[in-house]
């Protein structure tokens, strides 16, 4: 057996797992102390494996990991919270899966983000206990954007920097926030946003969660907030995914030149 190079005791939320070989699983974990970690759980696909139930997606788990060469192995796993209500209700399963996917796609490997970890655990608890889904999920989204460095600017126009007035505005993903009516036509990707929807986005950024869950948005505001966040996230993820490709091009050109 190869010598262990390192070991790590941490807790984590299981984001997903993939089958590996006959009996093993490769887990993608978001850990409290090291961000995203990929780790192998040996034998967890065998029927009698004790560890298996503790390593299903959505589970918050206390872990011992050991590193051999470039691979983490799970040596111990004890569930802290299984978040069972998230497995019993299809809507909640879908919403929780969306939250986990955002964490997965917006996080760097093995970089601690304690704020994001705590927010993730709180969000799974909120969804489990039946809090309003719209508020729990989008509160998560706005604060996650903060913690990964993409907080949208919603109080001043991102183009002319003037304070946003209480009227319908625009939103630009490329510029990263609200655009005033005067600048709306000057910013290529700006799309309209009503003042009501913008107000909700702003509240998600600055109002305490306990106060937010008392507000009930209209169906139209819900749809608008969702559409804007989807547009913004898709833009950010695409740009990020493009970065390595861009670097490859630069390296290839340099090698060729
Ligand atoms: Zn402006």
């Amino acid at each position: 057996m190869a010598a262990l190079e390192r070991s790590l005791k941490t807790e984590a939320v299981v984001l997903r797992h993939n089958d590996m070989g006959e009996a093993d699983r490769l887990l993608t974990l978001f850990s409290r102390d090291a961000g995203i970690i990929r780790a192998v759980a040996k034998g967890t696909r065998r029927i009698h494996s004790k560890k298996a139930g503790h390593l299903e997606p959505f589970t918050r788990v206390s872990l011992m990991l050991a590193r051999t060469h470039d691979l983490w192995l799970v040596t111990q796993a004890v569930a802290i919270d299984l978040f069972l209500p998230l497995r019993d209700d299809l809507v909640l399963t879908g919403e929780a899966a969306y939250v986990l996917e955002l964490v997965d796609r917006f996080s760097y490997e093995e970089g601690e983000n304690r704020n994001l970890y705590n927010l993730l655990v709180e969000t799974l608890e909120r969804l489990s206990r039946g809090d309003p889904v719209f508020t729990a999920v989008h509160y998560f989204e706005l604060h996650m954007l903060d913690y990964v460095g993409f907080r949208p600017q919603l109080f001043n126009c991102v183009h002319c920097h003037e304070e946003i007035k209480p009227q319908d505005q625009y939103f630009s993903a490329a510029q990263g926030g609200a655009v005033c009516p005067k600048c709306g036509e000057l910013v290529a990707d700006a799309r309209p946003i009503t003042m009501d929807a913008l107000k909700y986005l702003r509240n998600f950024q600055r109002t305490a969660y306990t106060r937010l869950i008392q507000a009930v948005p209209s169906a139209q505001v819900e749809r608008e907030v969702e559409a804007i966040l989807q547009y913004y996230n898709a833009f950010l993820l695409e740009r990020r995914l493009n970065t390595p490709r861009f670097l490859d091009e630069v390296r290839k050109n340099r090698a060729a030149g």
Side-chain angles (χ1 to χ4, degrees), residues 157 160 180 183:
C157 170
C160 71
C180 75
C183 300

Side-chain angles (χ1 to χ4, degrees), residues 157-162 179-183:
C157 170
V158 288
H159 194 255
C160 71
H161 309 292
E162 266 181 41
V179 178
C180 75
K182 264 191 306 181
C183 300

